[in-house]
Amino acid sequence: MSLECRGLAVRVGERLVLERLDLAVAPGEMVALLGASGAGKSTLLNALAGFLPVEAGEILCDGRLVAGDGVWVPPERRRIGVVFQDYALWPHMGARQIVAYPLTVRGTARPEAYSRADAWLERVGLAGLGDRRPDQLSGGQQQRVGLARALIAEPRVLLCDEPTANLDAQLRGELPGQILAELRRSGAAGVYVTHDPGEAFSVGDRVAVLEGGHILQIAPPAEVYARPASHAVAVLTCPDSFLADGRMVRPEWVAGAAVDGDGLAATVADARFTGDGTLYSLDTDQGRLLAHVAGEPRWSAGAAVRCMIERAWRLA
Amino acid sequence: MVAPPPAPLRRRVRTAGRGWVWAAALLPTAAVTAVVVAFPLARLVWAALLAPAASLAGIAASLPPLLHTVAVVAVSTPLALALGLGLALVCRHRTGAAGAAMRLGVLLPLLVPPFVSAFAWVQAYGAAGLTDHVAHLVLPGLFGPVGVVLLLAVNAAPFPFATVSAALAAGRTRRLEEAAQASGATPLQVFTTVTLPLLRPALAAGAVLAAVGAASDFGIPAVLGMPGGFTTLTTAIYADLSFSATSGSFSAAIAQALLLCLLVAPAVSALGRLADAPAAPDGGAVALRRGRAPWGAALVWVYIAVASGLPLLATLLVALTRAYGLAPVPANWSAAHFQAAVTGDNLLALGHSVGLALAAALACCVLGAAVAVLARSSRAGRVLQAVVALPFALPGSVIAIAAILAWNRPLHGTLTLIGLAYAARFWTLAERPIGAALGGLSPSRLRAARAAGAGPFAAWRTAWWPALAPAFAAAGLLTFVQAFHELTISSLLYGPGSTTIAVAVLSAEQAGDVGTTAALAVLLAVISLAAAIPLVGGRRASAWTGMS
């Protein structure tokens, strides 16, 4: 169960949003698509799902051509599951009916479809809520109904379109883990669209950074973070700072500042407590530097300090 | 992160500053409502209660027209619903100029007055009409129930078309269909399990509007029904008041008006409930998708041609052709009918209609704005809002009878009487767009302007007026168009010196003066269309719920 696209080009209206895009996702793997709004993330997802026609190139599921080269398999025959940003739950159905839908439209008898739907509702933590309509469920519950619906028919590809964008902070932390766990169990190829770098790093086996319809870099999260392929990638996976000689420094790469001793002389421009430490903005003769240091703020704006740059990445 | 409740200080300042403005607006608005709407309707009910024997006799006499109206509504409503739904589904994904032209074409019957449409159909599909000339094709039963039902359905189809189109255009509908598609549903399954259930409220609203429109319409049964002796309630009222002037015929008209009220009342109250139902929240923008049937557009264009195009063309040809019965070729063309249409009494009638429509538009904008503001700030205002909505929901014949009962003594047959009835009828039509625009304005807009240093008037002018101006323009245009070609009320209220253009057309038609009728109909259609196109071109097509 793999997903692959080669030389993909997609047009939305008059605009060519994607151009010659290559991407391969292995079975059970989750690729996070990271990019600012307008980068083409949702367009790529819609093309993979079959909601948008392909201008050029091809999409293969399990090695089978589903789009391109004169072939176009409609969404309902691609064996996909989609988790939508706005949940997209049908307001006139109950949760059980919604989750069972992919089975009933494929001809499974209603009693069996409903009992499997109940099992899925229990699995995503919604046992007993099968009769509730979407407007009687919280945002997090709605999205878990959406997840169960996406997975019940054992899709080969799971597409997630910013599933946490409408959820509050706590659920935003829980849901991606739940999605990832289910993806591993199902063995489907997963694509997860997000504009939040933290979420992309935590959920993706690999992170694909998208800008202007091109993949700037695709690599494991740690690599994208530590060795961004370009200035644009570094900026999209912020926070970061750049030295005068063009090297990039992540905030954790700056070691505890001290008043005396060796290191770079700096003036504290700003100190903000983040809970797990303090984020300093430091003015040095190399330029503005961000430093994340454990503990409460020890210096306030205007203080003269010294800091050590333990690591830096020279951008190509 | 709950914001602290607004400081009590601000509330105090607001009400203190508003108290007198409030009373100053509420009292005159309430007084006008009483004179124009409440008193006439109360008189109508009172008259029916006062003379129970006479109204019973009237009800017995109006049984055949009542049954006709019920039958006509029962058949034309499902037809209109099917037409509107089908047209909306085909037009759905068509964007750009072609799509806009298609939508305008489908909405045409709403913009052309119904009696003009009926006359135009006769010129196109009747004996000696255009299709008879060209291909010896005549629509059987055009003068009678078949013609009335068909044309009422065509005429009412824009209502379900508009409600369904609006529901389909909500970005969320597309999303929910995509979710079904991704779940493995075939296009047919998507339609039956997701699209249709989502459209149910829109279809219900469209059906109610279509049914009320069909029950209330006068122009179509007047042109297609009366000549063949097929009487509906609205034409029965007209016959009672126009062809005999006994007290018995007047009480029959009152009874028929009440029957008509009873007939549309359940529908109107259902509409009120539907309007309260929460609308599905809007999703994002809709991208262009696959799945447009190429033959769909062709079907829509054929429909537009048959329903509106050919009839209007036939009318234009009749108006241009020297004498009725001659072949409509350029050799036989002349401007004589148009000259007859804009001279003497006809010119006077045109002047009356333009004047009435301008006065109604101006009055309804002012009155509508007053009620819109009051309804947003007080319970009394909301009561006024409900009261002024009544005359538009009720059939025009009923409003005319009520106006006669209330104000006939001093104002018999005057333009003022017609104007009063128009103000009552179209008040809510102006109130709705203005109220909607007001509802969309957040007070923070005004506060931001004040905080930025603008005085109260400057803040209002710069921060609110630009958003309100289009609503006022829409309200004015809507009222103007409706009042300009209004027939039902003016045909019952006009006197020797207060003929409206619509009445002039009907008289010419009934006198058999086909050429002049056609020329007048063309003028009427052109002016109505010219005034209405900015409305449809804008995004206010869904606000178009006009009934004649």
Side-chain angles (χ1 to χ4, degrees):
Chain A
M1 298 204 244
S2 64
L3 174 71
E4 193 177 350
C5 43
R6 298 187 196 134
L8 194 66
V10 177
R11 190 180 288 280
V12 177
E14 297 291 295
R15 209 162 65 89
L16 201 58
V17 177
L18 299 179
E19 221 181 325
R20 288 198 299 279
L21 187 134
D22 297 307
L23 180 70
V25 187
E29 184 192 28
M30 181 71 96
V31 169
L33 285 181
L34 175 67
S37 61
K41 310 180 299 271
S42 295
T43 303
L44 175 55
L45 206 76
N46 281 330
L48 293 176
F51 299 142
L52 280 176
V54 166
E55 177 93 1
E58 50 196 24
I59 301 174
L60 297 101
C61 279
D62 271 343
R64 184 175 71 110
L65 190 66
V66 296
D69 204 15
V71 173
W72 189 75
V73 177
E76 65 269 22
R77 288 199 270 116
R78 289 193 185 187
R79 296 269 320 268
I80 51 172
V82 183
V83 181
F84 293 88
Q85 178 178 346
D86 58 357
Y87 324 134
L89 303 185
W90 305 295
H92 55 288
M93 297 184 194
R96 176 182 303 110
Q97 207 182 346
I98 292 173
V99 174
Y101 189 87
L103 300 178
T104 50
V105 291
R106 290 185 171 97
T108 307
R110 190 150 298 192
E112 195 206 324
Y114 279 11
S115 75
R116 278 172 67 187
D118 279 333
W120 262 100
L121 284 173
E122 198 179 327
R123 189 156 153 185
V124 296
L126 298 174
L129 299 183
D131 293 322
R132 297 265 186 99
R133 288 179 186 262
D135 58 1
Q136 297 166 321
L137 296 169
S138 73
Q141 289 171 331
Q142 289 190 52
Q143 195 54 294
R144 280 180 283 159
V145 171
L147 178 62
R149 172 181 66 185
L151 289 167
I152 192 168
E154 293 164 5
R156 295 179 299 193
V157 176
L158 179 68
L159 304 170
C160 307
D161 187 5
E162 306 207 26
T164 62
N166 289 330
L167 300 179
D168 58 35
Q170 193 201 341
L171 281 161
R172 213 174 291 156
E174 290 170 7
L175 192 80
Q178 198 168 12
I179 294 178
L180 198 60
E182 294 299 347
L183 181 85
R184 300 277 192 254
R185 271 203 253 180
S186 73
V191 176
Y192 190 109
V193 164
T194 178
H195 62 259
D196 177 358
E199 196 168 295
F201 290 140
S202 72
V203 83
D205 296 308
R206 285 184 298 152
V207 173
V209 182
L210 221 66
E211 194 183 71
H214 297 277
I215 292 183
L216 301 179
Q217 183 176 13
I218 176 162
E223 171 146 356
V224 172
Y225 188 73
R227 291 187 285 281
S230 65
H231 187 272
V233 173
V235 169
L236 281 167
T237 53
C238 58
D240 57 13
S241 42
F242 294 92
L243 300 178
D245 60 7
R247 286 180 303 160
M248 183 209 70
V249 179
R250 296 287 188 192
E252 315 75 54
W253 298 352
V254 182
V259 182
D260 303 314
D262 305 336
L264 204 55
T267 312
V268 175
D270 184 32
R272 270 180 294 151
F273 185 52
T274 57
D276 56 347
T278 304
L279 188 66
Y280 291 100
S281 288
L282 304 172
D283 281 329
T284 72
D285 55 3
Q286 300 263 9
R288 171 72 55 101
L289 203 59
L290 285 177
H292 193 257
V293 179
E296 293 169 22
R298 277 181 288 164
W299 298 283
S300 50
V305 294
R306 282 180 180 277
C307 58
M308 300 280 285
I309 296 173
E310 297 188 322
R311 204 174 150 189
W313 168 247
R314 184 170 297 281
L315 287 161
Chain B
M1 288 205 294
V2 179
L9 176 72
R10 203 191 60 211
R11 185 174 295 171
R12 203 169 63 228
V13 169
R14 235 162 89 193
T15 41
R18 227 199 242 172
W20 65 269
V21 181
W22 223 82
L26 183 62
L27 289 177
T29 313
V32 176
T33 309
V35 168
V36 173
V37 181
F39 178 58
L41 289 180
R43 278 291 283 124
L44 177 66
V45 176
W46 185 240
L49 291 177
L50 259 191
S55 33
L56 272 183
I59 285 172
S62 31
L63 205 55
L66 172 66
L67 291 179
H68 288 166
T69 296
V70 170
V72 157
V73 170
V75 182
S76 71
T77 305
L79 261 179
L81 206 55
L83 275 175
L85 174 65
L87 290 166
L89 287 173
V90 176
C91 288
R92 180 178 189 187
H93 293 306
R94 290 172 208 275
T95 51
M102 204 181 265
R103 268 177 276 276
L104 183 63
V106 171
L107 290 174
L108 262 183
L110 211 57
L111 309 178
V112 178
F115 64 97
V116 169
S117 298
F119 175 78
W121 269 49
V122 173
Q123 302 319 311
Y125 308 123
L130 188 63
T131 51
D132 195 5
H133 257 299
V134 176
H136 300 289
L137 277 175
V138 176
L139 182 68
L142 181 58
F143 287 100
V146 174
V148 171
V149 162
L150 265 184
L151 194 46
L152 278 177
V154 165
N155 214 49
F159 295 124
F161 174 80
T163 55
V164 169
S165 293
L168 287 175
R172 193 154 162 79
T173 310
R174 184 62 234 173
R175 248 297 112 100
L176 294 170
E177 288 172 333
E178 282 178 354
Q181 231 181 332
S183 301
T186 62
L188 184 67
Q189 284 173 320
V190 173
F191 183 72
T192 55
T193 60
V194 174
T195 315
L196 262 190
L198 287 177
L199 288 180
R200 208 174 291 147
L203 283 171
V208 167
L209 286 170
V212 172
S216 318
D217 189 64
F218 165 68
I220 290 169
V223 173
L224 298 181
M226 286 203 302
F230 182 75
T231 317
T232 61
L233 278 177
T234 52
T235 54
I237 292 172
Y238 176 75
D240 289 335
L241 295 190
S242 304
F243 303 142
S244 62
T246 63
S247 67
S249 68
F250 190 66
S251 34
I254 293 175
Q256 282 153 355
L258 284 171
L259 279 180
L260 204 48
C261 279
L262 291 178
L263 206 61
V264 300
V268 170
S269 73
L271 195 63
R273 273 203 306 283
L274 285 171
D276 291 340
D282 234 42
V286 189
L288 267 180
R289 302 293 150 95
R290 295 181 158 255
R292 328 190 321 180
W295 45 265
L299 269 183
V300 172
W301 284 116
V302 167
Y303 168 80
I304 293 171
V306 170
S308 310
L310 266 186
L312 290 176
L313 176 70
T315 309
L316 181 65
L317 288 176
V318 168
L320 282 173
T321 305
R322 205 155 12 97
Y324 192 60
L326 285 180
V329 290
N332 292 332
W333 286 359
S334 87
H337 296 314
F338 283 102
Q339 276 160 6
V342 293
T343 45
D345 289 346
N346 290 335
L347 187 64
L348 206 61
L350 192 64
H352 289 158
S353 280
V354 171
L356 273 173
L358 281 177
L362 201 65
C364 287
C365 274
V366 173
L367 293 171
V371 169
V373 170
L374 290 168
R376 283 173 50 75
S377 53
S378 72
R379 181 171 305 230
R382 282 189 289 280
V383 172
L384 282 184
Q385 188 184 30
V387 171
V388 302
L390 264 182
F392 191 69
L394 293 172
S397 322
V398 173
I399 302 310
I401 301 262
I404 292 175
L405 282 167
W407 304 114
N408 202 34
R409 192 60 55 73
L411 298 173
H412 176 77
T414 59
L415 284 172
T416 315
L417 184 61
I418 302 179
L420 274 182
Y422 280 5
R425 180 136 172 92
F426 302 127
W427 191 333
T428 194
L429 207 53
E431 188 266 329
R432 258 184 291 174
I434 297 172
L438 272 178
L441 287 177
S442 79
S444 61
R445 266 172 92 145
L446 209 55
R447 289 179 196 145
R450 294 295 296 274
F457 180 72
W460 189 85
R461 190 175 52 80
T462 53
W464 269 22
W465 178 245
L468 284 176
F472 271 93
L477 270 176
L478 211 53
T479 316
F480 180 88
V481 173
Q482 291 283 331
F484 177 69
H485 62 52
E486 201 287 330
L487 173 69
T488 315
I489 292 176
S490 54
S491 72
L492 297 177
L493 297 185
Y494 80 96
S498 60
T499 326
T500 62
I501 185 72
V503 170
V505 180
L506 190 68
S507 308
E509 199 261 341
Q510 284 174 343
D513 187 352
V514 180
T516 312
T517 312
L520 281 168
V522 168
L523 282 181
L524 204 52
V526 167
I527 297 178
S528 302
L529 282 179
I533 280 173
L535 284 174
V536 182
R539 296 236 173 123
R540 304 195 179 273
S542 59
W544 250 97
T545 49
M547 289 175 270
S548 281

